[in-house]
Structures are given as C-alpha cells and as structure tokens.
Amino acid sequence: MSIILSGLLLGAAFGFVLERAGFGNPNKLTGQFRLTDWSVFKVMFTAIVFAAVGLMILEKFHWVDAENLFIPPAFLGAAALGGALVGAGFAVGGYCPGTSVVGLMSGRLDAGIFLLGLLLGTWLFADVFSAIESVVSWGEYVSATTLPEFFHVSDWLVNFILIVMAVVVFILGSWMEKKSQSLVKSSTVN
C-alpha cells in the first residue's frame, strides 16, 4: 500500500512541477521541435543529471544498493518503434503521456482528446502485441545495463559528461531562444 501511495504522491508532485513549468501547454512543448523553446530540454536534462548524480551519491554512501535496482532489458526494436510513434504523436499533438494528464488536469480539452487517443492506442497495441512481438522484442541488448558498464568507464566520468552536456544544452538553448525571439521581433516590426 505504501508503494502505491508513494507513487501517487510522487506522480502528483511531478505533475505539479510540470504544470508550473508550463508543460501543460502544447505550444510550449512543440516549441522544442522548432528549436524556439528549450524549456523541455532543460528540465529533462536537469532531471536526468539530478537522478544520475543523486543515485551515484546514494550508492557511494551505501544508502542504495544499485545491484538491487530493477533495470528493464533494453529492446532496440521496441525503442525505435515506440520512439517513432510517441515522437510523432508528441510533434503532432504537442503532448507526451505525462503532459497530456497535466494538460487535462489544467482544464485543456485538447489534452483530454490526446489522452483518449493515447489510451486507445495502448489498448490497440495490447490487442495486436502477439502479432508484432517479434518486432518489438528484436535487438535485446544484454551485455550492459548501465552506461558505465557499456563504455567500460567509471560512473564519475559518465556523470561528469552528463553535466557538461547539460551545461551545453543550457547555453545553446538560451542562445537559440534569444535568436528566435529577435527574429520574431524583427519580423513584427517589418
């Protein structure tokens, strides 16, 4: 029961943060595909770095045993197919699964329609899974479960590289957002 309650509380907190970041608005989300709004990249990169560094610190202090964490197997076929379908839906509708719930809870009707489509697509996928299971389970990657294992480097190095990449995303994103805003201002003046 406590696991379910903690999941609900964390999900509600995550939804609150997404809403406060403006991710319940599809215009903000599709801005990432036009490279005019880097908020999603920045928030998600921050979450990835925070989780990776936090997990490493918790493991170093022996508060978490990473060997006991469940890491699902990586299926390259499923990742490619799922990434293409979710990415296309995200680009067209302006929502991902989480942000569609946030948008619906914020009162956006389009988010509710998107969420309905997502649920119907999930049901359809479950219905046809046995027919496409060989495609979805193609390319299981089993030689490493983490990036340090995959690259044969320390977790310190992987986290350092993630931090550097996050800084680059923040700098590049801020520069491109300013460039986009100046283009919009110059086009409205003319």
Side-chain angles (χ1 to χ4, degrees):
M1 180 65 176
S2 64
I3 292 175
I4 293 172
L5 184 60
S6 68
L8 287 172
L9 290 174
L10 286 172
F14 184 62
F16 176 78
V17 170
L18 289 178
E19 171 58 27
R20 297 304 304 158
F23 292 176
N25 182 340
N27 296 325
K28 186 165 200 67
L29 298 171
T30 56
Q32 74 177 338
F33 292 102
R34 293 187 306 268
L35 300 177
T36 58
D37 190 330
W38 285 62
S39 302
V40 175
F41 293 117
K42 292 175 182 178
V43 168
M44 291 306 165
F45 233 121
T46 301
I48 290 167
V49 169
F50 184 81
V53 173
L55 183 58
M56 182 185 73
I57 291 169
L58 291 173
E59 188 177 11
K60 297 301 178 200
F61 282 103
H62 303 289
W63 293 337
V64 169
D65 183 8
E67 295 296 322
N68 289 330
L69 297 176
F70 173 71
I71 301 173
F75 293 101
L76 301 179
L81 181 62
L85 292 173
V86 171
F90 200 163
V92 170
Y95 293 106
C96 71
T99 57
S100 65
V101 174
V102 170
L104 179 63
M105 293 299 117
S106 300
R108 295 193 62 101
L109 180 61
D110 59 335
I113 293 168
F114 186 88
L115 185 58
L116 180 62
L118 182 126
L119 294 172
L120 289 173
T122 302
W123 174 74
L124 177 65
F125 175 80
D127 196 44
V128 300
F129 178 77
S130 59
I132 62 169
E133 184 175 5
S134 62
V135 173
V136 173
S137 61
W138 171 82
E140 180 178 8
Y141 190 81
V142 292
S143 67
T145 56
T146 65
L147 290 176
E149 285 177 21
F150 179 77
F151 290 113
H152 304 291
V153 296
S154 73
D155 51 353
W156 291 95
L157 179 61
V158 169
N159 284 321
F160 175 75
I161 291 169
L162 281 175
I163 292 169
V164 169
M165 290 171 62
V167 169
V168 168
V169 164
F170 271 77
I171 292 170
L172 180 65
S174 296
W175 177 78
M176 291 192 72
E177 285 173 341
K178 286 178 187 170
K179 186 128 177 106
S180 173
Q181 290 169 358
S182 68
L183 287 172
V184 168
K185 285 180 185 176
S186 68
S187 69
T188 56
V189 171
N190 296 333

